[in-house]
Amino acid sequence: DGLRGIAALAVLVFHAPGVFAGVGWVTVASRWSRGGWLGVDLFFALSGYLITRGLLRDRGAPLARFYGRRALRIMPLYYLYLAAVFAFAPLPVRLVDLAPGDAALFVAYLGAVPGAVGHYPGHLFAPLWSVGVEEHFYLVWPLVMRGRNAPSILRACIVGAVVAVLARAASLAVLDPDAAGILTPCRLDALLAGAVLAVVASTRGEIEVTRWCRARVWYALAWLVVVALTPLGPWSHHGVYPSRAYLVLGYTVTSVACAVSVGSVAHGAPPVAWLRV
């Protein structure tokens, strides 16, 4: 829950300067808020871990129960949000700027498409791409895991990570640079890094995996800090894309770093006690 809160707060900080454009403090705040996009990667790793752990624990249970829980958890709030925004339209372009057909895409959890083709849908819609990525994962991953043993699931995770790298490389050739960071095929490794953590924990033991992650978490955190505060990552202080290498391969390293961070606090002594030691 603590990691989920940190991830959500980081994303809010990332988007705040754009929403409050023109306010005096925004210029200064935007210089350190750009690293907040890492909250999405952390949330993806956390989701991959929790969903996979739950599916392993409930192996053999009807998938309809899983899908029902996911639908009740996300869909009511998601569609309530969309209805509220549509109800107050028209709004300033910086908040809502939908092209024809965009509304239907967001209703179908395909909100990444406008950004992938270079059309920014406005501040109230732009962040919803990540909800679509999560929903696609919830829909497909249980089917991939069904009937597979742990080694087979790990192989599927490796294949998914390779697909993500290839998808990002392909997207850079034909789509807007944003596509590499928001389309579902391009972000599979972020979710599957957490899934690997859950699978290994189920076979090697949760405490052992947590100890392994804690022994390496400082390397993971160092990577995340460098990516957040330097032009190495996909967002510089000026909002450009300085690193093609990061867009293709760096996202995978960040996914592993986020998964290690999740694993370091998943089991064993509470994080506060660990930090005190």
mmCIF file with all atom_site columns, all heavy atoms in Angstrom, residues 34-49:
data_model
loop_
_atom_site.group_PDB
_atom_site.id
_atom_site.type_symbol
_atom_site.label_atom_id
_atom_site.label_alt_id
_atom_site.label_comp_id
_atom_site.label_asym_id
_atom_site.label_entity_id
_atom_site.label_seq_id
_atom_site.pdbx_PDB_ins_code
_atom_site.Cartn_x
_atom_site.Cartn_y
_atom_site.Cartn_z
_atom_site.occupancy
_atom_site.B_iso_or_equiv
_atom_site.pdbx_formal_charge
_atom_site.auth_seq_id
_atom_site.auth_comp_id
_atom_site.auth_asym_id
_atom_site.auth_atom_id
_atom_site.pdbx_PDB_model_num
ATOM 1   N N   . ARG A 1 34 ? 9.531  16.153  -13.275 1.00 0.00 ? 34 ARG A N   1
ATOM 2   C CA  . ARG A 1 34 ? 9.521  15.295  -14.457 1.00 0.00 ? 34 ARG A CA  1
ATOM 3   C C   . ARG A 1 34 ? 9.791  13.835  -14.112 1.00 0.00 ? 34 ARG A C   1
ATOM 4   O O   . ARG A 1 34 ? 9.361  12.937  -14.832 1.00 0.00 ? 34 ARG A O   1
ATOM 5   C CB  . ARG A 1 34 ? 10.543 15.783  -15.478 1.00 0.00 ? 34 ARG A CB  1
ATOM 6   C CG  . ARG A 1 34 ? 10.402 17.243  -15.882 1.00 0.00 ? 34 ARG A CG  1
ATOM 7   C CD  . ARG A 1 34 ? 8.979  17.591  -16.273 1.00 0.00 ? 34 ARG A CD  1
ATOM 8   N NE  . ARG A 1 34 ? 8.571  16.942  -17.511 1.00 0.00 ? 34 ARG A NE  1
ATOM 9   C CZ  . ARG A 1 34 ? 7.326  16.988  -18.002 1.00 0.00 ? 34 ARG A CZ  1
ATOM 10  N NH1 . ARG A 1 34 ? 6.382  17.618  -17.327 1.00 0.00 ? 34 ARG A NH1 1
ATOM 11  N NH2 . ARG A 1 34 ? 7.024  16.399  -19.120 1.00 0.00 ? 34 ARG A NH2 1
ATOM 12  N N   . GLY A 1 35 ? 10.544 13.604  -13.035 1.00 0.00 ? 35 GLY A N   1
ATOM 13  C CA  . GLY A 1 35 ? 10.820 12.224  -12.655 1.00 0.00 ? 35 GLY A CA  1
ATOM 14  C C   . GLY A 1 35 ? 9.610  11.494  -12.116 1.00 0.00 ? 35 GLY A C   1
ATOM 15  O O   . GLY A 1 35 ? 9.664  10.279  -11.911 1.00 0.00 ? 35 GLY A O   1
ATOM 16  N N   . GLY A 1 36 ? 8.490  12.195  -11.926 1.00 0.00 ? 36 GLY A N   1
ATOM 17  C CA  . GLY A 1 36 ? 7.302  11.555  -11.391 1.00 0.00 ? 36 GLY A CA  1
ATOM 18  C C   . GLY A 1 36 ? 6.697  10.503  -12.293 1.00 0.00 ? 36 GLY A C   1
ATOM 19  O O   . GLY A 1 36 ? 5.914  9.661   -11.825 1.00 0.00 ? 36 GLY A O   1
ATOM 20  N N   . TRP A 1 37 ? 7.078  10.511  -13.583 1.00 0.00 ? 37 TRP A N   1
ATOM 21  C CA  . TRP A 1 37 ? 6.534  9.484   -14.494 1.00 0.00 ? 37 TRP A CA  1
ATOM 22  C C   . TRP A 1 37 ? 6.960  8.081   -14.061 1.00 0.00 ? 37 TRP A C   1
ATOM 23  O O   . TRP A 1 37 ? 6.307  7.093   -14.425 1.00 0.00 ? 37 TRP A O   1
ATOM 24  C CB  . TRP A 1 37 ? 6.997  9.745   -15.927 1.00 0.00 ? 37 TRP A CB  1
ATOM 25  C CG  . TRP A 1 37 ? 8.486  9.670   -16.116 1.00 0.00 ? 37 TRP A CG  1
ATOM 26  C CD1 . TRP A 1 37 ? 9.371  10.701  -16.019 1.00 0.00 ? 37 TRP A CD1 1
ATOM 27  C CD2 . TRP A 1 37 ? 9.249  8.505   -16.413 1.00 0.00 ? 37 TRP A CD2 1
ATOM 28  N NE1 . TRP A 1 37 ? 10.647 10.253  -16.231 1.00 0.00 ? 37 TRP A NE1 1
ATOM 29  C CE2 . TRP A 1 37 ? 10.614 8.906   -16.477 1.00 0.00 ? 37 TRP A CE2 1
ATOM 30  C CE3 . TRP A 1 37 ? 8.933  7.173   -16.629 1.00 0.00 ? 37 TRP A CE3 1
ATOM 31  C CZ2 . TRP A 1 37 ? 11.641 8.013   -16.744 1.00 0.00 ? 37 TRP A CZ2 1
ATOM 32  C CZ3 . TRP A 1 37 ? 9.966  6.279   -16.902 1.00 0.00 ? 37 TRP A CZ3 1
ATOM 33  C CH2 . TRP A 1 37 ? 11.309 6.706   -16.957 1.00 0.00 ? 37 TRP A CH2 1
ATOM 34  N N   . LEU A 1 38 ? 8.044  7.966   -13.267 1.00 0.00 ? 38 LEU A N   1
ATOM 35  C CA  . LEU A 1 38 ? 8.473  6.649   -12.793 1.00 0.00 ? 38 LEU A CA  1
ATOM 36  C C   . LEU A 1 38 ? 7.428  5.988   -11.899 1.00 0.00 ? 38 LEU A C   1
ATOM 37  O O   . LEU A 1 38 ? 7.474  4.780   -11.693 1.00 0.00 ? 38 LEU A O   1
ATOM 38  C CB  . LEU A 1 38 ? 9.794  6.777   -12.038 1.00 0.00 ? 38 LEU A CB  1
ATOM 39  C CG  . LEU A 1 38 ? 11.049 6.932   -12.899 1.00 0.00 ? 38 LEU A CG  1
ATOM 40  C CD1 . LEU A 1 38 ? 12.242 7.300   -12.038 1.00 0.00 ? 38 LEU A CD1 1
ATOM 41  C CD2 . LEU A 1 38 ? 11.328 5.663   -13.687 1.00 0.00 ? 38 LEU A CD2 1
ATOM 42  N N   . GLY A 1 39 ? 6.493  6.781   -11.371 1.00 0.00 ? 39 GLY A N   1
ATOM 43  C CA  . GLY A 1 39 ? 5.424  6.192   -10.579 1.00 0.00 ? 39 GLY A CA  1
ATOM 44  C C   . GLY A 1 39 ? 4.607  5.187   -11.366 1.00 0.00 ? 39 GLY A C   1
ATOM 45  O O   . GLY A 1 39 ? 4.128  4.193   -10.811 1.00 0.00 ? 39 GLY A O   1
ATOM 46  N N   . VAL A 1 40 ? 4.462  5.412   -12.670 1.00 0.00 ? 40 VAL A N   1
ATOM 47  C CA  . VAL A 1 40 ? 3.715  4.472   -13.505 1.00 0.00 ? 40 VAL A CA  1
ATOM 48  C C   . VAL A 1 40 ? 4.467  3.147   -13.604 1.00 0.00 ? 40 VAL A C   1
ATOM 49  O O   . VAL A 1 40 ? 3.882  2.064   -13.477 1.00 0.00 ? 40 VAL A O   1
ATOM 50  C CB  . VAL A 1 40 ? 3.472  5.058   -14.905 1.00 0.00 ? 40 VAL A CB  1
ATOM 51  C CG1 . VAL A 1 40 ? 2.776  4.033   -15.799 1.00 0.00 ? 40 VAL A CG1 1
ATOM 52  C CG2 . VAL A 1 40 ? 2.628  6.314   -14.806 1.00 0.00 ? 40 VAL A CG2 1
ATOM 53  N N   . ASP A 1 41 ? 5.783  3.211   -13.825 1.00 0.00 ? 41 ASP A N   1
ATOM 54  C CA  . ASP A 1 41 ? 6.579  1.986   -13.914 1.00 0.00 ? 41 ASP A CA  1
ATOM 55  C C   . ASP A 1 41 ? 6.526  1.210   -12.606 1.00 0.00 ? 41 ASP A C   1
ATOM 56  O O   . ASP A 1 41 ? 6.435  -0.025  -12.606 1.00 0.00 ? 41 ASP A O   1
ATOM 57  C CB  . ASP A 1 41 ? 8.021  2.343   -14.266 1.00 0.00 ? 41 ASP A CB  1
ATOM 58  C CG  . ASP A 1 41 ? 8.150  2.878   -15.675 1.00 0.00 ? 41 ASP A CG  1
ATOM 59  O OD1 . ASP A 1 41 ? 7.610  3.965   -15.956 1.00 0.00 ? 41 ASP A OD1 1
ATOM 60  O OD2 . ASP A 1 41 ? 8.772  2.207   -16.510 1.00 0.00 ? 41 ASP A OD2 1
ATOM 61  N N   . LEU A 1 42 ? 6.596  1.925   -11.489 1.00 0.00 ? 42 LEU A N   1
ATOM 62  C CA  . LEU A 1 42 ? 6.516  1.264   -10.187 1.00 0.00 ? 42 LEU A CA  1
ATOM 63  C C   . LEU A 1 42 ? 5.159  0.605   -10.010 1.00 0.00 ? 42 LEU A C   1
ATOM 64  O O   . LEU A 1 42 ? 5.060  -0.533  -9.523  1.00 0.00 ? 42 LEU A O   1
ATOM 65  C CB  . LEU A 1 42 ? 6.768  2.288   -9.079  1.00 0.00 ? 42 LEU A CB  1
ATOM 66  C CG  . LEU A 1 42 ? 6.711  1.765   -7.645  1.00 0.00 ? 42 LEU A CG  1
ATOM 67  C CD1 . LEU A 1 42 ? 7.736  0.660   -7.422  1.00 0.00 ? 42 LEU A CD1 1
ATOM 68  C CD2 . LEU A 1 42 ? 6.937  2.908   -6.653  1.00 0.00 ? 42 LEU A CD2 1
ATOM 69  N N   . PHE A 1 43 ? 4.106  1.291   -10.434 1.00 0.00 ? 43 PHE A N   1
ATOM 70  C CA  . PHE A 1 43 ? 2.767  0.736   -10.293 1.00 0.00 ? 43 PHE A CA  1
ATOM 71  C C   . PHE A 1 43 ? 2.596  -0.495  -11.179 1.00 0.00 ? 43 PHE A C   1
ATOM 72  O O   . PHE A 1 43 ? 1.962  -1.480  -10.783 1.00 0.00 ? 43 PHE A O   1
ATOM 73  C CB  . PHE A 1 43 ? 1.718  1.786   -10.649 1.00 0.00 ? 43 PHE A CB  1
ATOM 74  C CG  . PHE A 1 43 ? 0.374  1.514   -10.048 1.00 0.00 ? 43 PHE A CG  1
ATOM 75  C CD1 . PHE A 1 43 ? -0.006 2.105   -8.856  1.00 0.00 ? 43 PHE A CD1 1
ATOM 76  C CD2 . PHE A 1 43 ? -0.526 0.656   -10.667 1.00 0.00 ? 43 PHE A CD2 1
ATOM 77  C CE1 . PHE A 1 43 ? -1.244 1.837   -8.293  1.00 0.00 ? 43 PHE A CE1 1
ATOM 78  C CE2 . PHE A 1 43 ? -1.764 0.391   -10.117 1.00 0.00 ? 43 PHE A CE2 1
ATOM 79  C CZ  . PHE A 1 43 ? -2.125 0.985   -8.922  1.00 0.00 ? 43 PHE A CZ  1
ATOM 80  N N   . PHE A 1 44 ? 3.157  -0.456  -12.391 1.00 0.00 ? 44 PHE A N   1
ATOM 81  C CA  . PHE A 1 44 ? 3.071  -1.618  -13.275 1.00 0.00 ? 44 PHE A CA  1
ATOM 82  C C   . PHE A 1 44 ? 3.756  -2.831  -12.656 1.00 0.00 ? 44 PHE A C   1
ATOM 83  O O   . PHE A 1 44 ? 3.215  -3.941  -12.664 1.00 0.00 ? 44 PHE A O   1
ATOM 84  C CB  . PHE A 1 44 ? 3.702  -1.301  -14.626 1.00 0.00 ? 44 PHE A CB  1
ATOM 85  C CG  . PHE A 1 44 ? 2.828  -0.484  -15.542 1.00 0.00 ? 44 PHE A CG  1
ATOM 86  C CD1 . PHE A 1 44 ? 3.375  0.162   -16.636 1.00 0.00 ? 44 PHE A CD1 1
ATOM 87  C CD2 . PHE A 1 44 ? 1.473  -0.370  -15.323 1.00 0.00 ? 44 PHE A CD2 1
ATOM 88  C CE1 . PHE A 1 44 ? 2.582  0.912   -17.490 1.00 0.00 ? 44 PHE A CE1 1
ATOM 89  C CE2 . PHE A 1 44 ? 0.664  0.382   -16.159 1.00 0.00 ? 44 PHE A CE2 1
ATOM 90  C CZ  . PHE A 1 44 ? 1.222  1.023   -17.253 1.00 0.00 ? 44 PHE A CZ  1
ATOM 91  N N   . ALA A 1 45 ? 4.965  -2.628  -12.129 1.00 0.00 ? 45 ALA A N   1
ATOM 92  C CA  . ALA A 1 45 ? 5.682  -3.745  -11.501 1.00 0.00 ? 45 ALA A CA  1
ATOM 93  C C   . ALA A 1 45 ? 4.897  -4.286  -10.313 1.00 0.00 ? 45 ALA A C   1
ATOM 94  O O   . ALA A 1 45 ? 4.804  -5.504  -10.104 1.00 0.00 ? 45 ALA A O   1
ATOM 95  C CB  . ALA A 1 45 ? 7.078  -3.296  -11.070 1.00 0.00 ? 45 ALA A CB  1
ATOM 96  N N   . LEU A 1 46 ? 4.321  -3.393  -9.535  1.00 0.00 ? 46 LEU A N   1
ATOM 97  C CA  . LEU A 1 46 ? 3.527  -3.800  -8.382  1.00 0.00 ? 46 LEU A CA  1
ATOM 98  C C   . LEU A 1 46 ? 2.292  -4.580  -8.825  1.00 0.00 ? 46 LEU A C   1
ATOM 99  O O   . LEU A 1 46 ? 1.950  -5.613  -8.237  1.00 0.00 ? 46 LEU A O   1
ATOM 100 C CB  . LEU A 1 46 ? 3.125  -2.564  -7.577  1.00 0.00 ? 46 LEU A CB  1
ATOM 101 C CG  . LEU A 1 46 ? 2.385  -2.782  -6.264  1.00 0.00 ? 46 LEU A CG  1
ATOM 102 C CD1 . LEU A 1 46 ? 3.235  -3.598  -5.309  1.00 0.00 ? 46 LEU A CD1 1
ATOM 103 C CD2 . LEU A 1 46 ? 2.026  -1.440  -5.633  1.00 0.00 ? 46 LEU A CD2 1
ATOM 104 N N   . SER A 1 47 ? 1.628  -4.111  -9.863  1.00 0.00 ? 47 SER A N   1
ATOM 105 C CA  . SER A 1 47 ? 0.444  -4.812  -10.368 1.00 0.00 ? 47 SER A CA  1
ATOM 106 C C   . SER A 1 47 ? 0.800  -6.192  -10.899 1.00 0.00 ? 47 SER A C   1
ATOM 107 O O   . SER A 1 47 ? 0.106  -7.180  -10.632 1.00 0.00 ? 47 SER A O   1
ATOM 108 C CB  . SER A 1 47 ? -0.223 -3.992  -11.473 1.00 0.00 ? 47 SER A CB  1
ATOM 109 O OG  . SER A 1 47 ? -0.810 -2.824  -10.961 1.00 0.00 ? 47 SER A OG  1
ATOM 110 N N   . GLY A 1 48 ? 1.888  -6.265  -11.681 1.00 0.00 ? 48 GLY A N   1
ATOM 111 C CA  . GLY A 1 48 ? 2.305  -7.563  -12.198 1.00 0.00 ? 48 GLY A CA  1
ATOM 112 C C   . GLY A 1 48 ? 2.591  -8.548  -11.092 1.00 0.00 ? 48 GLY A C   1
ATOM 113 O O   . GLY A 1 48 ? 2.238  -9.739  -11.185 1.00 0.00 ? 48 GLY A O   1
ATOM 114 N N   . TYR A 1 49 ? 3.206  -8.054  -10.023 1.00 0.00 ? 49 TYR A N   1
ATOM 115 C CA  . TYR A 1 49 ? 3.522  -8.913  -8.884  1.00 0.00 ? 49 TYR A CA  1
ATOM 116 C C   . TYR A 1 49 ? 2.257  -9.376  -8.160  1.00 0.00 ? 49 TYR A C   1
ATOM 117 O O   . TYR A 1 49 ? 2.054  -10.572 -7.923  1.00 0.00 ? 49 TYR A O   1
ATOM 118 C CB  . TYR A 1 49 ? 4.438  -8.160  -7.917  1.00 0.00 ? 49 TYR A CB  1
ATOM 119 C CG  . TYR A 1 49 ? 4.641  -8.857  -6.600  1.00 0.00 ? 49 TYR A CG  1
ATOM 120 C CD1 . TYR A 1 49 ? 5.409  -10.014 -6.505  1.00 0.00 ? 49 TYR A CD1 1
ATOM 121 C CD2 . TYR A 1 49 ? 4.045  -8.363  -5.433  1.00 0.00 ? 49 TYR A CD2 1
ATOM 122 C CE1 . TYR A 1 49 ? 5.591  -10.655 -5.287  1.00 0.00 ? 49 TYR A CE1 1
ATOM 123 C CE2 . TYR A 1 49 ? 4.229  -8.994  -4.223  1.00 0.00 ? 49 TYR A CE2 1
ATOM 124 C CZ  . TYR A 1 49 ? 4.999  -10.136 -4.151  1.00 0.00 ? 49 TYR A CZ  1
ATOM 125 O OH  . TYR A 1 49 ? 5.164  -10.775 -2.950  1.00 0.00 ? 49 TYR A OH  1
#
